[in-house]
Amino acid sequence: MKAGIVGLPNVGKSTLFNCLSNAKAQSANFPFCTIEPNIGVVNVPDSRLQKLEGLVNPERVQPATVEIVDIAGLVKGASKGEGLGNQFLGNIRETDAILHVLRCFENDNIVHVDGSIDPIRDKETIDIELQLKDLETVEKKLEKVKRAAKTGNKEAQKEETALLKLKEGLEAGKSVRAIDVTEDEHKEFVKPLQFITDKPVMYVCNVDEGSAVDGNKHVDRVREAVKDENAEVLVLAVGTEADITELDDFEERQMFLQDIGLEEPGSAKLIRGAYSLLNLQTYFTAGEKEVRAWTIPVGSTAPQAAGVIHTDFEKGFIRAEVISYGDFENYGSEAKVKEAGKMRVEGKEYIVKDGDVMHFRFNV
């Protein structure tokens, strides 16, 4: 599961990617300096992991990770192959969620591809290109489905109805995620086509340092423009975040953050946001050798969670011994949790909760 950073050229995508991954993608003041998509595997900040480390004192600690992809800047006409259009659209199709970076800062030294600062126009430029590509997908599918529907095929007729809704919405400038289809239609006919504009999205407003806490007029306009999209808006001073990542000393970083009125780097919120956007959650294993955060999709069963450690754990699953994170923190050790009768034994049907501390019994 990976989230793709998208946006027009020169809005701060690669600088943001560098902050997140410390992979130092090339960042330059001209379009297309990111040609091959850079991929960074990023640790997910989680205060629970530090707390478990303090309680268990293991030999090593392994955080959860999420993949972030830095994709080349898109320009008008990308859906028809302009700029790096085909490559951009291919790369974005392979991601599971979108982090859409919008320039919400003024700076005469950094050129804007359209000559002025207008995040709503920038958003629409990208939306239109993605919608046009999705419209192409709908039209191709409709051609086949209409022929089957004419023969009286009931399933094809249902699919045709759903696709016509999508076609009408896309032609009206709506993204697939904002088009009103039923749950069944989405599951049967929309999801399998992997529309780009159906992917969950977070809008990242790149602001100057003075706007890092409260945002600015550009951010207010973005919030208003996306209020019907069920999308999160995150305010981030990407240039400032880059300065923070350059500091090696933790206390220096904290002082820097306090000076600008932040409790933690905005990049930490973004990583957690991307994790959530991908519909992922964490469970923990905690022993003397290792305290580790494991990543699973929300709704995973205990055997599926065990399978993330090793496929044999899922195949031979017998039971899971489960402690809620709150109980582990409260009692301070596995032994004390057991003494208090707070450890639970769960079977194959158990749906894992975020933060569960788990131990699996299996037989292969």
Side-chain angles (χ1 to χ4, degrees):
M1 299 287 279
K2 54 193 177 189
I5 301 176
V6 306
L8 291 177
N10 287 356
V11 296
K13 298 184 312 304
S14 294
T15 307
L16 174 60
F17 176 80
N18 292 339
C19 295
L20 297 177
S21 67
N22 292 323
K24 304 300 176 205
Q26 184 190 0
S27 173
N29 186 17
F30 58 89
F32 305 140
C33 70
T34 309
I35 294 177
E36 290 301 320
N38 293 291
I39 298 178
V41 178
V42 184
N43 290 341
V44 179
D46 192 331
S47 59
R48 297 173 299 182
L49 197 62
Q50 276 76 54
K51 186 71 180 174
L52 286 171
E53 180 185 7
L55 293 171
V56 177
N57 195 24
E59 289 174 22
R60 61 180 177 270
V61 177
Q62 182 69 45
T65 59
V66 63
E67 266 191 27
I68 306 285
V69 187
D70 178 25
I71 296 168
L74 173 141
V75 293
K76 280 178 190 165
S79 58
K80 296 181 173 60
E82 292 293 323
L84 294 166
N86 291 330
Q87 193 171 334
F88 171 95
L89 293 161
N91 292 334
I92 197 172
R93 201 181 284 284
E94 288 169 16
T95 64
D96 304 285
I98 296 170
L99 306 173
H100 187 157
V101 183
L102 296 166
R103 179 170 169 177
C104 295
F105 67 90
E106 312 278 345
N107 185 333
D108 294 338
N109 295 321
I110 301 176
V111 295
H112 188 289
V113 74
D114 286 327
S116 61
I117 308 306
D118 185 345
I120 307 306
R121 177 201 59 209
D122 296 353
K123 174 188 175 308
E124 286 170 356
T125 297
I126 289 206
D127 283 352
I128 287 165
E129 296 304 326
L130 302 184
Q131 288 159 7
L132 286 170
K133 204 65 188 171
D134 281 349
L135 185 58
E136 198 180 288
T137 303
V138 168
E139 286 172 339
K140 277 183 188 166
K141 185 69 176 173
L142 256 174
E143 273 179 42
K144 293 177 185 171
V145 171
K146 276 182 173 175
R147 287 197 292 271
K150 278 179 186 169
T151 66
N153 182 313
K154 291 277 190 287
E155 197 62 18
Q157 287 169 352
K158 276 162 60 181
E159 185 168 9
E160 183 183 19
T161 302
L163 292 174
L164 285 170
K165 281 187 204 174
L166 295 181
K167 183 173 186 287
E168 192 180 310
L170 286 161
E171 285 174 341
K174 286 184 178 179
S175 292
V176 170
R177 73 180 78 84
I179 297 170
D180 190 18
V181 293
T182 67
E183 211 172 296
D184 286 345
E185 285 173 332
H186 188 272
K187 189 178 171 184
E188 286 182 58
F189 310 124
V190 180
K191 202 171 180 195
L193 292 174
Q194 294 182 303
F195 292 108
I196 298 172
T197 65
D198 193 36
K199 296 178 190 292
V201 64
M202 177 194 288
Y203 294 99
V204 182
C205 294
N206 183 10
V207 298
D208 57 277
E209 187 176 305
S211 307
V213 178
D214 299 318
N216 56 28
K217 63 180 183 182
H218 297 305
V219 175
D220 294 340
R221 290 182 63 218
V222 171
R223 286 197 172 115
E224 179 61 26
V226 307
K227 66 176 191 277
D228 297 329
E229 279 193 48
N230 190 26
E232 192 176 339
V233 176
L234 186 73
V235 178
L236 207 63
V238 174
T240 306
E241 295 284 332
D243 292 340
I244 293 169
T245 57
E246 292 297 322
L247 299 171
D248 294 325
D249 185 73
F250 175 77
E251 285 179 6
E252 275 185 38
R253 287 201 298 270
Q254 291 308 107
M255 282 169 62
F256 194 139
L257 288 166
Q258 281 170 11
D259 285 347
I260 59 173
L262 294 175
E263 289 179 12
E264 65 173 350
S267 54
K269 288 182 192 167
L270 177 62
I271 295 164
R272 286 198 298 271
Y275 197 69
S276 172
L277 209 58
L278 290 164
N279 203 32
L280 299 174
Q281 66 179 27
T282 299
Y283 77 87
F284 301 102
T285 50
E288 287 177 6
K289 285 211 173 295
E290 182 182 69
V291 165
R292 182 163 182 163
W294 299 89
T295 300
I296 52 171
V298 173
S300 295
T301 61
Q304 288 167 336
V308 173
I309 299 176
H310 198 289
T311 50
D312 286 349
F313 284 29
E314 184 172 1
K315 285 178 196 161
F317 179 89
I318 299 170
R319 65 179 184 272
E321 294 165 359
V322 184
I323 303 169
S324 75
Y325 170 77
D327 284 338
F328 205 110
E329 184 183 27
N330 187 28
Y331 291 99
S333 73
E334 187 177 312
K336 286 179 181 170
V337 170
K338 282 180 179 173
E339 270 176 42
K342 294 289 186 179
M343 178 184 275
R344 308 188 313 276
V345 175
E346 302 286 1
K348 290 183 177 181
E349 305 303 313
Y350 177 67
I351 303 297
V352 179
K353 293 178 180 63
D354 186 57
D356 278 349
V357 181
M358 305 184 77
H359 182 72
F360 299 104
R361 299 291 180 186
F362 68 101
N363 181 25
V364 177

